[in-house]
Amino acid sequence: MRKILVANRGEIAVRVMKTAKKMGIKTVAIYSTADRMSPHVQMADEAVLIGEAPSNKSYLLGEKIIEVAKRLNVDAIHPGYGFLSENAEFGELTEKNGITFIGPKSKAIKIMGSKLAAKEAVKAYDILMVPGTDEAITDIEEAKKIAQDIGFPILIKASAGGGGKGMRIVEKESDFESQMNRAISEAKSAFGDGSVFIEKYVTSPRHIEIQVMADSHGNVVHLFERECSIQRRHQKVVEEAPSSVLTPELRAKMGEAAIKVAKSCDYLGAGTVEFLLDDQHNFYFLEMNTRLQVEHPVTEMITGMDLVELQIRVARGEKLPIDQDDLKINGHAMELRVYAEDPLNDFLPSVGTLDVYQLPIGDHIRVDNGFEEGMEVPIYYDPMLSKLITYGKTREEAIELMLKAIENYKIEGIQTTLPFGTFVFEHDAFRSGNFDTHFVKKYYSPESLKTDQDNEAKIAALIALKQYIEDQKIVRLPN
C-alpha cells in the first residue's frame, strides 16, 4: 500500500494523513471549492478538486472519487467518518475497481447500518437489548398497542437513522400519536425511509461504547470503553476514557459482548459497539458504528495504540500485532469537540471568519484540528473545528489540564463550544462522575453559562485591580 486517498475533509483527513506519512505512504486529498485553503489540502502529497461546496456535489460523489483514485494509481481509500464511511455501495464500488477500502466489508456495513438488522444479528449471542419492537413499523395504531405493552416512557427511533434524527421520547400515551407522526416524517425527510422502531426508554442512562478491532485472520480485540454521556440534541460533545463508573468485571463483560457483536457480522477493521448502561449497571446493546469514531483519540491516549495505523495494517491483510492480554488502560483521557456553535443560542451553528485562531500547546495536550487563522467556517458541513484532548495519570489531572487547555485556546470571530466545555469540566456532577445523558437537560442553560462567564470576568477584574494597587505601592515607595 503505497498511496491512500482520504475521502474526507477537516480534522479527520489531517489525522489519517499524519499516520499515513508516518508509515511512508503517500496521500491524496480531495476537496470542494469551499475547502481550497484547508490544512488537509496543503498536507497531502496530491490534491484534487472534487466539486462544489455542498457535500452532494463533492464529498458524496462516490463514482467521481473512484475515478480520481484510479487516475492517480491509488491503492486504498480511507473514508474517515461521516460522508461515505458507512455507505456499503461505496465500499463495494471501491473493491470492484481493485482499490482497498480501509473499513469493514459491505455485509457488515449493511447489517449494522440498520438498527433492526443489527439487533437480529446479535440475538443469537445472548446480548441484552432494550425491550422493544423486533421489526420496523409505520402503522400508528399497532405501534400504540406495542408502546402500551412496553410501558411509558418509550423511545421512537428511525430504523435508518443516526445523529438524533427521527428520534422522539414519549413520556405519556396522550402524546404518542403526534410524536410518532413527527418521527416518521423526520425519518422520511432525513433518510428516505419512514420506518421506525419502538423501545423502552431507559431512565438515567449512560452512553458507553466499546472500541473493537478485527483482522482477516479471525482475531478480534476490544480496546476498552469510552464514556459519551455528555450530549446535546442526542449528539456527543464531551467524551472520556475510561468511564468513571465501570468496574473491571463490568468492563470485561461489556468488552466480551462487543467482541461477540463484531463476530456476529464478520467484522473487519475498527468499529465501535454502543451500549446503554442503566442506573443498576445493566447494559443493553444499542448499535454498532462501522467506522472510526470521532472520539477515537481518547482510546489512543489510554492504550498507546494508533487506531488508524491498525486500520491500515488490517486492510493490508496483516494480523493484529496485539492480543487482548497485551492491552492495558494507562491513565485517563478527556475530549471536547470544539464546534462552531453558540452555546448561548441553543447551540446554533456560528459561521464567519476565524479572526484569531491559536491552539493550546503543552505536554499531554493534543488538538486534532482542521482549520487555520483567517479561514472561513463554511455552512455546508458539520460545524466541528477540532477536537481538544488531554491526558493525565488520573481523571482529576486530565480534567484540570483540560480546563487549562480551554483557557489557552484562543478563538475570535465566531462562537464556539469552548465555554460550554468549561461549564461541564467545572461542574460538580461531572467531576464526581455522577451524571448521565440528561446532564445538559438537568444542569445546563444559557443563563447558567452567562452567570459563570460574568463571575469569571469579575474575578479577573478583581485580580487585575489588586495587581494595579500592588504596582502603585511599589511606584510610590520613597527613595
Side-chain angles (χ1 to χ4, degrees):
M1 197 178 284
R2 293 162 299 176
K3 190 188 284 190
I4 290 174
L5 183 149
V6 183
N8 218 298
R9 63 181 296 279
E11 62 84 20
I12 189 57
V14 172
R15 164 72 192 89
V16 172
M17 288 175 191
K18 279 182 179 175
T19 288
K21 285 182 182 293
K22 181 181 77 175
M23 297 175 75
I25 300 169
K26 299 280 187 188
T27 58
V28 176
I30 57 169
Y31 63 95
S32 72
T33 50
D35 284 336
R36 283 182 189 277
M37 305 308 294
S38 291
H40 81 281
V41 176
Q42 299 164 40
M43 188 177 186
D45 296 293
E46 298 171 84
V48 177
L49 176 65
I50 200 72
E52 294 173 40
S55 53
N56 63 354
K57 295 183 178 178
S58 51
Y59 297 106
L60 291 175
L61 298 177
E63 291 189 3
K64 193 170 181 181
I65 292 168
I66 299 290
E67 284 172 22
V68 169
K70 288 172 75 174
R71 190 172 79 239
L72 297 181
N73 297 313
V74 162
D75 301 304
I77 292 177
H78 194 302
Y81 53 71
F83 293 136
L84 295 170
S85 63
E86 293 178 282
N87 186 305
E89 288 71 27
F90 179 67
E92 281 179 355
L93 189 63
T94 303
E95 299 285 355
K96 278 179 187 171
N97 281 277
I99 300 166
T100 301
F101 181 73
I102 302 176
K105 301 301 178 189
S106 59
K107 173 194 169 188
I109 297 175
K110 282 175 182 170
I111 290 171
M112 293 300 163
S114 163
K115 291 180 177 64
L116 293 169
K119 286 188 171 190
E120 190 61 37
V122 304
K123 253 186 186 177
Y125 290 82
D126 290 329
I127 296 166
L128 271 179
M129 288 176 272
V130 180
T133 53
D134 291 328
E135 54 187 30
I137 190 165
T138 52
D139 185 296
I140 291 173
E141 282 307 311
E142 186 186 345
K144 188 184 279 189
K145 286 175 189 167
I146 294 166
Q148 287 166 341
D149 289 342
I150 296 169
F152 289 87
I154 58 106
L155 189 64
I156 302 170
K157 273 176 153 181
S159 175
K165 293 182 176 69
M167 186 183 287
R168 288 284 183 279
I169 298 163
V170 187
E171 302 278 356
K172 52 187 188 292
E173 189 176 332
S174 57
D175 295 336
F176 179 79
E177 204 163 314
S178 62
Q179 295 287 28
M180 183 79 176
N181 279 322
R182 282 184 193 175
I184 291 170
S185 173
E186 199 171 300
K188 275 182 186 170
S189 174
F191 313 110
D193 179 357
S195 58
V196 298
F197 66 94
I198 296 165
E199 62 185 33
K200 179 71 178 168
Y201 182 63
V202 178
T203 54
S204 302
R206 293 179 78 123
H207 187 136
I208 308 284
E209 60 187 32
I210 306 284
Q211 176 72 56
V212 294
M213 186 70 70
D215 65 22
S216 54
H217 303 274
N219 303 304
V220 189
V221 296
H222 72 82
L223 292 92
F224 313 112
E225 82 278 3
R226 295 184 288 259
E227 168 92 51
C228 306
S229 297
I230 307 294
Q231 305 176 2
R232 50 94 182 93
R233 294 197 295 271
H234 303 292
Q235 291 190 312
K236 305 161 191 169
V237 193
V238 171
E239 299 101 349
E240 64 179 299
S243 167
S244 61
V245 292
L246 261 59
T247 61
E249 295 76 22
L250 185 53
R251 178 174 292 119
K253 280 183 187 174
M254 293 182 80
E256 286 164 19
I259 287 172
K260 287 177 181 176
V261 171
K263 287 180 175 177
S264 77
C265 62
D266 299 323
Y267 201 76
L268 179 70
T272 298
V273 183
E274 305 205 352
F275 296 98
L276 271 188
L277 184 75
D278 70 16
D279 53 4
Q280 302 301 308
H281 287 191
N282 301 304
F283 64 90
Y284 305 94
F285 170 71
L286 269 182
E287 62 183 340
M288 184 177 193
N289 294 127
T290 55
R291 53 171 165 78
L292 195 67
Q293 290 279 84
V294 174
E295 57 273 18
H296 75 274
V298 290
T299 297
E300 294 185 325
M301 299 291 259
I302 65 160
T303 60
M305 293 287 124
D306 182 331
L307 295 185
V308 175
E309 181 178 339
L310 291 178
Q311 280 187 300
I312 292 170
R313 291 193 180 284
V314 164
R316 291 197 301 209
E318 297 177 23
K319 279 187 177 181
L320 282 171
I322 44 167
D323 293 320
Q324 192 64 57
D325 291 342
D326 300 325
L327 292 161
K328 301 282 185 284
I329 294 174
N330 181 26
H332 207 102
M334 296 281 168
E335 176 177 298
L336 171 66
R337 300 190 190 188
V338 183
Y339 284 106
E341 294 178 344
D342 186 356
L344 293 176
N345 189 19
D346 199 29
F347 293 97
L348 289 175
S350 176
V351 296
T353 304
L354 294 169
D355 299 325
V356 173
Y357 193 70
Q358 296 168 11
L359 306 180
I361 54 172
D363 292 342
H364 306 311
I365 295 172
R366 166 177 166 179
V367 187
D368 283 17
N369 174 51
F371 283 83
E372 289 177 350
E373 194 166 276
M375 283 179 63
E376 292 280 330
V377 178
I379 61 170
Y380 304 99
Y381 316 115
D382 183 275
M384 191 167 70
L385 303 174
S386 69
K387 299 176 311 205
L388 177 57
I389 307 108
T390 58
Y391 171 83
K393 292 192 285 291
T394 64
R395 186 172 187 265
E396 293 73 22
E397 200 176 295
I399 289 172
E400 289 306 316
L401 187 56
M402 176 61 80
L403 287 166
K404 181 183 171 186
I406 291 171
E407 195 178 332
N408 292 324
Y409 203 140
K410 307 299 182 188
I411 303 179
E412 292 178 18
I414 60 164
Q415 300 302 314
T416 74
T417 49
L418 286 171
F420 173 74
T422 299
F423 175 86
V424 173
F425 291 110
E426 286 183 341
H427 201 282
D428 289 343
F430 183 81
R431 294 175 82 96
S432 70
N434 184 23
F435 61 92
D436 56 33
T437 56
H438 303 311
F439 177 92
V440 171
K441 185 179 173 184
K442 279 182 186 173
Y443 304 116
Y444 176 75
S445 68
E447 293 74 29
S448 59
L449 181 58
K450 188 85 169 59
T451 301
D452 282 1
Q453 289 176 331
D454 289 346
N455 289 340
E456 284 171 16
K458 282 177 189 172
I459 292 166
L462 287 170
I463 291 168
L465 178 61
K466 186 182 176 187
Q467 188 62 51
Y468 173 77
I469 292 167
E470 293 297 321
D471 291 346
Q472 289 300 103
K473 282 178 186 174
I474 295 166
V475 169
R476 289 171 188 160
L477 282 173
N479 291 328

